[in-house]
């Protein structure tokens, strides 16, 4: 057995600085734009191994095994989702169905701002609720680029939009993960998150359109934004507090989409915003083909259903695949669990991160049938057959998709290797303890700890599992509500989703703008920090000014 060390240098500040070297290196190299994302990830992975072995005293064989486990889990399930989403998108384009979808959306509105509300925010929230794990960004970014948005607009705005729904993603998986490590009822945690995020579900649509079109462009369509935000935020609160945390995103997104479409039948902006590039400097605009007027010729009923058919199939399949009962059934048919030798249960997480020495599991669960990516592949195959593709033609298109995504898959695997290694080596916990030492300011910085966790791991679920118990222990020591701070980890984490390297690579792949991850990161970084700080401010108010909002759930 090897026990994790959280202050290997005997100086908390110095240990924290050293622990931050891999992730800081990764972000700086990507943001510089001078190093390709896959090379930056490999360099950061090497540094993470050196830090884990020579500073945190992790045995070298454990460090290497942890890295390899991360590489494999980077492809299954994350890379597997991306690959099959892009495959579905490519066959819809090849069959001409995507062009029909463009016309269908144009029939609702040709205004680019309203298209963002409909696709990036509301439609993306549905896929976050149904499957999560990179699916919403991959799908919405691909749709936006197909609608003519610039690569930076499609990538960056999809990332900004995919924030408020994240805490309830994949049928409430982050909440369930948080409950598993804190011992707090998931219904109570879901309700507490539902008293934080609705404020941002209302704010984010305004923020999204302002980022795209500027203040005046946003004000010009404020009624539509208000309808979109309120029709998402109110159901989000009601469902999370009075029903359950599993169906929050699905219910809220469907209501939001329906309300926006109905509202646009009676209201349209005075002036249409037809430019598909960012209002400010947009370096990706030069890569766009000459813009073509959007065809808004009304579709026949057959054409409309033909355009929507692939996405209807995806929605149905994702709802099935996200269901816990289906996963249990699928895993009973096909499950391969591989406990990594000399790593699984050979590392102890110790106080103050855990209440008592707790072995860390290291199992590669190859639950192939229940993987979200497998559901996406099945949806793509069904769609391809219904659209008239022969098996040979689909195989050829899949081969082209693999070649397109190859470098991105390597990048995602390297980044997951970093996350797995830093978690098992205790490096992440060292960074978390630095936030936990902020005393009276802990409600604010504890929220940012959740943000950091998602930025590091790429997953709100992983961040909750990593830091959830630390949040609970620290809150109890400071006399704060453990429910409030555990929920704050998840709520703060949603704003880190837009800057985690994995999501950025997914976005760049979906928009075929690979190699420009630095541009995407620089664009979304300040948005991420600003929104995370606002969440931290709200949690601080809940802790000290309006404590009844946290106490009522106890």
């Amino acid at each position: 057995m090897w026990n994790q060390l959280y202050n290997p240098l005997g100086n908390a500040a110095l240990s924290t600085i050293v622990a931050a070297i891999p992730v800081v290196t990764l972000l700086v190299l990507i943001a510089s734009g001078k190093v390709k994302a896959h090379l930056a990830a490999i360099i950061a992975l090497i540094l993470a191994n050196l830090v884990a072995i020579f500073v945190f005293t992790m045995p070298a064989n454990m460090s290497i095994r942890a890295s390899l486990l991360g590489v494999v889990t980077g492809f299954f399930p994350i890379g597997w989702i991306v690959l099959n989403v892009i495959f579905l998108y490519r066959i819809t384009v090849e069959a001409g169905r995507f062009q029909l979808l463009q016309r269908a959306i144009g029939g609702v509105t040709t205004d680019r701002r309203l298209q963002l509300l409909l696709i990036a925010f509301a439609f993306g929230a549905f896929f976050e609720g149904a499957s999560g794990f990179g699916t919403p960004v991959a799908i919405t970014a691909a749709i936006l680029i197909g609608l003519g948005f610039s690569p930076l607009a499609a990538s960056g705005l999809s990332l900004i939009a995919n924030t408020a729904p994240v805490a309830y993603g994949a049928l409430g998986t982050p909440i369930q993960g948080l409950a598993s490590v804190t011992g707090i009822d998931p219904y109570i945690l879901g309700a507490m998150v539902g008293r934080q995020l609705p404020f941002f579900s209302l704010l984010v649509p305004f923020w999204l359109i302002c980022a795209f079109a500027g203040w005046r462009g946003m004000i010009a369509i404020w009624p539509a934004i208000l309808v979109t935000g309120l029709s998402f935020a109110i159901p989000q609160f009601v469902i999370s507090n009075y029903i359950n945390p599993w169906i929050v995103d699905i219910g809220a997104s469907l209501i939001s989409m329906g309300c926006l479409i109905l509202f646009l039948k009676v209201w349209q902006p005075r002036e249409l915003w037809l430019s598909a590039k960012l209002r400010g400097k947009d370096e990706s605009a030069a890569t766009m083909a000459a813009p073509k007027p959007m065809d808004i010729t009304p579709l026949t009923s057959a054409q409309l259903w033909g355009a929507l058919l692939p996405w209807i199939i995806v929605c149905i399949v994702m709802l099935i695949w996200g269901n816990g009962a289906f996963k249990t059934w699928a895993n009973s048919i096909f499950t391969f669990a591989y406990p990594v030798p000399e790593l699984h249960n050979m590392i102890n997480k110790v106080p103050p991160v855990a209440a008592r020495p707790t072995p860390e599991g290291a199992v590669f669960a190859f639950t192939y049938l229940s993987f979200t990516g497998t559901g996406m592949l099945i949806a793509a195959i069904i769609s391809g057959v219904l659209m008239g593709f022969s098996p040979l033609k689909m195989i050829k298109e899949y081969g082209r998709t693999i070649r397109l995504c190859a470098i991105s898959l390597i990048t995602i695997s390297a980044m997951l290797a970093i996350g797995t290694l830093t978690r098992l080596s205790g490096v992440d916990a060292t960074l978390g303890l630095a936030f936990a030492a902020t005393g009276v300011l802990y409600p604010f910085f504890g929220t940012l700890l959740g943000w950091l966790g998602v930025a590091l791991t790429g997953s709100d679920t992983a961040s909750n599992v990593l830091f959830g118990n630390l949040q609970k222990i620290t809150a109890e020591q400071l006399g704060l509500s453990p429910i409030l701070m555990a929920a704050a980890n998840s709520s703060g984490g949603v704003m880190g989703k837009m800057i985690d390297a994995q999501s950025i690579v997914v976005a760049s792949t979906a928009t075929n703008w690979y190699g420009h991850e630095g541009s995407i990161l620089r664009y979304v970084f300040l948005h991420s920090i600003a929104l995370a700080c606002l969440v931290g401010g709200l949690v601080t108010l809940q802790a000290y000014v309006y404590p009844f909002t946290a106490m009522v759930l106890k």
Side-chain angles (χ1 to χ4, degrees):
M1 292 294 293
W2 175 71
N3 293 331
Q4 292 179 346
L5 294 178
Y6 307 126
N7 186 12
L9 300 177
N11 181 292
L14 189 57
S15 294
T16 301
I17 291 171
V18 174
I21 288 175
V23 67
V24 170
T25 300
L26 176 64
L27 294 175
V28 169
L29 289 178
I30 291 177
S32 71
K34 298 179 180 179
V35 180
K36 298 294 185 182
H38 65 287
L39 294 177
I42 292 171
I43 292 170
L45 177 58
I46 293 171
L47 287 174
N49 273 277
L50 294 175
V51 168
I53 295 169
F54 294 106
V55 179
F56 285 77
T57 71
M58 187 181 196
N61 71 314
M62 286 186 172
S63 179
I64 294 170
R65 289 169 187 267
S67 300
L68 292 175
L69 174 62
V71 167
V72 178
T73 54
F75 186 74
F76 288 108
I78 306 301
W80 187 232
I81 295 172
V82 176
L83 178 65
N84 293 312
V85 167
I86 301 301
F87 173 55
L88 172 67
Y89 167 68
R90 288 176 64 88
I91 63 173
T92 60
V93 172
E94 186 71 20
R97 299 299 178 91
F98 197 86
Q99 290 79 355
L100 293 177
L101 179 65
Q102 289 175 286
R103 286 172 57 188
I105 295 172
V108 176
T109 177
T110 56
D111 191 291
R112 300 297 191 174
R113 298 164 298 183
L114 299 174
Q115 290 175 356
L116 281 173
L117 291 176
L118 183 62
I119 300 299
F121 184 78
F123 197 47
F126 175 84
F127 281 105
E128 181 62 46
S131 57
F133 299 103
T135 308
V137 169
I139 290 178
T140 59
I143 291 176
L144 291 176
I145 201 74
L147 289 171
F149 281 80
S150 73
L152 183 56
S155 302
L157 297 172
S158 292
L159 289 166
I160 292 173
N162 186 45
T163 48
V166 166
Y168 298 104
L171 294 175
T173 300
I175 301 297
Q176 186 59 59
L178 188 61
S180 68
V181 296
T182 61
I184 301 173
D185 189 326
Y187 285 84
I188 293 178
L189 289 171
M192 188 68 250
V193 172
R195 298 183 177 208
Q196 296 167 342
L197 285 185
F199 295 100
F200 296 92
S201 297
L202 179 59
L203 174 63
V204 166
F206 285 94
W207 196 290
L208 174 71
I209 302 306
C210 190
F212 173 65
W215 178 263
R216 291 184 179 179
M218 180 266 287
I219 290 297
I221 63 162
W222 72 264
I225 303 174
L226 186 63
V227 167
T228 304
L230 282 177
S231 61
F232 189 92
I234 293 173
Q236 186 182 48
F237 170 77
V238 172
I239 296 172
S240 63
N241 275 262
Y242 299 105
I243 302 178
N244 65 54
W246 323 127
I247 63 169
V248 175
D249 284 347
I250 291 175
S253 62
L254 291 175
I255 292 171
S256 182
M257 278 189 284
C259 288
L260 177 59
I261 291 172
L262 290 174
F263 181 70
L264 292 179
K265 289 183 178 296
V266 298
W267 181 93
Q268 287 288 334
R270 292 180 181 177
E271 294 183 11
L272 296 176
W273 190 287
L274 301 179
S275 173
K277 63 181 182 180
L278 295 171
R279 181 174 178 272
K281 182 181 179 182
D282 188 347
E283 60 189 271
S284 68
T287 67
M288 298 168 61
K292 299 178 181 179
M294 185 177 294
D295 185 355
I296 58 172
T297 306
L299 300 178
T300 65
S301 295
Q303 287 177 319
L304 178 60
W305 285 110
L308 296 177
L309 180 63
W311 307 103
I312 292 173
I313 292 171
V314 169
C315 291
I316 294 171
V317 172
M318 286 300 97
L319 284 174
I320 295 172
W321 251 253
N323 183 271
F326 171 80
K327 288 183 180 293
T328 300
W329 173 81
N331 291 340
S332 69
I333 294 176
F334 185 96
T335 298
F336 173 69
Y338 178 70
V340 180
E342 299 181 43
L343 186 65
H344 176 58
N345 287 340
M346 295 299 292
I347 297 173
N348 270 333
K349 184 164 60 176
V350 298
V353 175
R356 62 187 63 84
T358 306
E360 284 274 29
V363 179
F364 173 59
F366 189 65
T367 54
Y368 179 78
L369 185 56
S370 66
F371 280 150
T372 300
T374 302
M376 189 63 66
L377 176 60
I378 290 173
I381 292 172
I382 294 172
S383 299
V385 170
L386 294 177
M387 290 187 292
F389 279 82
S390 67
L392 180 60
K393 189 174 181 181
M394 276 197 282
I395 291 171
K396 288 181 178 178
E397 192 59 46
Y398 202 77
R400 296 188 190 101
T401 305
I402 291 174
R403 289 195 295 274
L404 173 67
C405 297
I407 297 297
S408 297
L409 296 177
I410 293 172
T411 308
I412 292 170
S413 291
M415 289 171 177
L416 262 292
I418 295 170
T420 303
L421 175 58
T422 54
R423 174 176 62 84
L424 292 175
S425 65
V427 169
D428 281 355
T430 297
L431 297 173
L433 289 171
F435 282 84
T438 53
V440 71
L441 297 176
Y442 182 68
F444 179 82
F445 285 102
T447 304
L448 292 187
L449 175 57
W451 172 83
L452 175 68
V454 176
L456 289 172
T457 65
S459 164
D460 200 48
T461 302
S463 175
N464 286 344
V465 171
L466 180 62
F467 291 135
N469 195 58
L470 177 62
Q471 296 272 19
K472 177 185 176 183
I473 292 171
T474 306
E476 290 172 341
Q477 292 174 343
L478 296 173
L480 298 169
S481 166
I483 297 170
L484 173 67
M485 292 314 304
N489 193 84
S490 195
S491 296
V494 304
M495 300 309 175
K497 188 70 174 176
M498 70 179 85
I499 65 162
D500 85 80
Q502 167 191 309
S503 292
I504 290 172
V505 173
V506 169
S508 68
T509 304
T511 56
N512 199 24
W513 207 44
Y514 185 78
H516 295 84
E517 291 80 7
S519 299
I520 299 172
L521 175 60
R522 288 192 296 271
Y523 175 69
V524 299
F525 192 78
L526 291 180
H527 295 288
S528 177
I529 290 179
L531 286 166
C533 288
L534 289 175
V535 180
L538 174 64
V539 172
T540 303
L541 289 174
Q542 288 183 298
Y544 298 127
V545 182
Y546 304 108
F548 66 89
T549 60
M551 294 174 63
V552 74
L553 293 171
K554 288 186 177 180

